[in-house]
Amino acid sequence: MVDLSDIRKEYTQGRLDEAKVAEHPVTQFHAWFEHYRTTAPEEPTVMTVASVDEHGQPWQRILLLKSYDDDGFVFFTNYESNKGRHFATNPKASLHFFWMKVERQVQIQGEVVPMSREEAQAYFHSRPRESQLGAWASQQSRPLASRSELETRFTQLSVEYQDQEVPVPNHWGGYRLVPSRMEFWQGGEHRLHDRVEYQLEREIWKIQRLNP
């Protein structure tokens, strides 16, 4: 057994008061996200996306948040990937942001809704051309015999679509997670962390403090 119990850090950077947070959780998220960006993180939009398969087994992976507003949080992926198949049968999902530089976490639960084809096309064509080709080359989550097989497909597609617009694959698009619960966590000394929960009840966000 590798004992890691002596690795310990005290969290001392701030406090979170449930009486002073924004009335809407996305407003609170925006304030925290913009503050986090001032710390010049390497990849500020990184988040963990969790889904649940048909056996009730949770899965997690790292994706990038592409936009957000009061309607939800947007990301893009292959619909035939593991997460895409999970969402097709169970649209419940969770997002998690961990911002170690400011000792904060944000957790978001809700349902994922596929975005319109027009929204997916607009984002797809804003991506680098190589990323567009990569969306065609990768049969995401399926077995792959070798790296060279993937690179060969990419090269073939580069030739096929040379000097023309890369079309959006039918199996590729976006999801919007519509939140029904959001939690904000601020690290505290002696593990007395601050946790503030927003729960949507009859279209009204209820705010309460949780024990750490």
Side-chain angles (χ1 to χ4, degrees), residues 158-170:
S158 299
V159 173
E160 180 179 350
Y161 293 115
Q162 188 174 11
D163 301 325
Q164 61 178 293
E165 183 177 80
V166 180
V168 183
N170 289 330

Side-chain angles (χ1 to χ4, degrees), residues 32-193:
W32 270 25
F33 182 73
E34 290 302 310
H35 173 66
Y36 179 57
R37 289 179 66 184
T38 67
T39 68
E42 186 171 341
E43 191 70 84
T45 63
V46 161
M47 62 181 180
T48 301
V49 178
S51 61
V52 178
D53 67 18
E54 68 274 20
H55 304 295
Q57 175 63 53
W59 294 54
Q60 296 175 310
R61 73 286 292 166
I62 298 294
L63 294 180
L64 301 181
L65 178 67
K66 289 304 175 182
S67 67
Y68 65 90
D69 58 23
D70 288 353
D71 294 326
F73 297 79
V74 172
F75 58 93
F76 293 85
T77 190
N78 186 317
Y79 289 145
E80 297 176 354
S81 65
N82 287 328
K83 57 186 167 300
R85 292 197 295 270
H86 298 167
F87 293 150
T89 58
N90 181 359
K92 300 287 188 180
S94 178
L95 309 181
H96 182 260
F97 299 83
F98 179 44
W99 299 328
M100 185 62 189
K101 280 189 174 184
V102 291
E103 300 174 354
R104 288 174 171 173
Q105 300 180 61
V106 181
Q107 185 181 155
I108 307 170
Q109 281 89 29
E111 290 197 9
V112 289
V113 178
M115 301 184 69
S116 71
R117 192 65 178 165
E118 292 73 22
E119 291 172 303
Q121 287 175 334
Y123 173 68
F124 185 82
H125 290 303
S126 75
R127 306 175 82 204
R129 184 176 179 82
E130 291 76 12
S131 297
Q132 296 177 33
L133 293 169
W136 278 100
S138 174
Q139 299 174 357
Q140 195 174 125
S141 301
R142 297 180 183 177
L144 180 65
S146 66
R147 171 80 187 189
S148 62
E149 178 183 326
L150 179 63
E151 293 173 344
T152 297
R153 284 204 300 267
F154 183 87
T155 300
Q156 291 170 342
L157 288 161
S158 299
V159 173
E160 180 179 350
Y161 293 115
Q162 188 174 11
D163 301 325
Q164 61 178 293
E165 183 177 80
V166 180
V168 183
N170 289 330
H171 60 260
W172 189 95
Y175 290 102
R176 176 179 283 104
L177 186 142
V178 181
S180 57
R181 178 185 181 276
M182 293 181 63
E183 180 185 324
F184 295 82
W185 179 99
Q186 176 73 62
E189 281 188 286
H190 316 306
R191 297 301 185 260
L192 300 179
H193 312 304

Side-chain angles (χ1 to χ4, degrees), residues 14-18 21 28 32 184-186 194 196 209:
R15 290 288 181 268
L16 182 61
D17 186 342
E18 71 276 16
V21 296
Q28 183 66 36
W32 270 25
F184 295 82
W185 179 99
Q186 176 73 62
D194 292 314
V196 174
R209 172 177 286 270

